[in-house]
Amino acid sequence: MSKSDRLFRVMHLFRCLPAPVTAARMAEELGVSERTLYRDIESLRVAGARIEGEAGLGFTLSEDIALPPQTLSQLEIEALVLGLSEVQHRGDPALAQAARDALAKITATLPEDKQRHIHHAVGLVHRYQTPAVPSVDMSDLREACWQERAIQITYRDRAGVMSDRVIWPLAIVYLDHELMLLASCQLRRAFRQFIVSSIAGFTLLDESFRPHRVRLLRNYIAELKTRHVIAPAGDRPSL
């Protein structure tokens, strides 16, 4: 790991771990010696980071040089914590971790009193049911949406019949108990909804549908609004 990458991770640990954090804890997380960690802290201080504390007592990041200060109202903080907590509960592991990292970064930009509001927010999220584990790699599926690349999926319909088809993935919808992929199906030449857990597998194709995603998604959402609902499982239009 290069020194620049290590310094970035040290800053990230300051944002994520409860303060004060000891050099031993950070050194263990990074897989380096405590001596190296002390040198990294001194490098960050020279660069302008305000890091309080000392060896044996632990360190606290008081001013983050990497992130600009944010001004959020108490209600905005509640909304932020509630929304990102929901993502941590509903998202796949990569998305849940991204929510935790985002909250840590935002917290680091706030004044101390606002940080306390985040740590002791009024709104909490709890789900009695654990979301089903997706049958496909959600990181790859998101990447296909971001890149506007066609994918070939193997899909199991409501009758259990398997079929292969090429689709243009447009958006992933988080319903109460499942994930729904909104797409333009090239087999049917129409908009379709696919339950992610019914996708047995998919392959990213070289075919690109850029720059059509925004227009297609806008048109699809407009079509769904005329039906008043994104159809839940067991009541969706035939695929």
Side-chain angles (χ1 to χ4, degrees), residues 22-34:
T22 64
R25 174 71 186 279
M26 286 193 286
E28 181 182 0
E29 292 281 346
L30 296 172
V32 299
S33 67
E34 290 185 41

Side-chain angles (χ1 to χ4, degrees), residues 34 41 45 47 68 135 142 149 181 195 199 209:
E34 290 185 41
I41 289 176
R45 282 170 166 167
S135 57
R142 282 191 295 270
R149 294 269 298 278
L181 176 64
I195 294 178
I199 299 176
F209 57 95

Side-chain angles (χ1 to χ4, degrees), residues 155 178-181 193-199 233-234 236 239:
Y155 190 73
E178 61 191 6
L179 301 181
M180 189 79 76
L181 176 64
Q193 302 169 29
F194 298 94
I195 294 178
V196 173
S197 60
S198 294
I199 299 176
R236 56 191 178 277
L239 299 177

Side-chain angles (χ1 to χ4, degrees), residues 7 20 57 77 115 119 125 155 180 200 202 233 238:
L7 292 178
L57 298 177
I77 287 174
Q115 290 185 20
H119 294 312
V125 173
Y155 190 73
M180 189 79 76
F202 73 89
S238 173

Side-chain angles (χ1 to χ4, degrees), residues 177-197:
H177 302 295
E178 61 191 6
L179 301 181
M180 189 79 76
L181 176 64
L182 305 186
S184 173
C185 178
Q186 300 308 290
L187 175 66
R188 304 298 187 188
R189 294 295 176 183
F191 294 129
R192 287 292 185 266
Q193 302 169 29
F194 298 94
I195 294 178
V196 173
S197 60

Side-chain angles (χ1 to χ4, degrees), residues 198-211:
S198 294
I199 299 176
F202 73 89
T203 302
L204 184 65
L205 304 178
D206 291 333
E207 178 186 350
S208 172
F209 57 95
R210 183 170 293 172

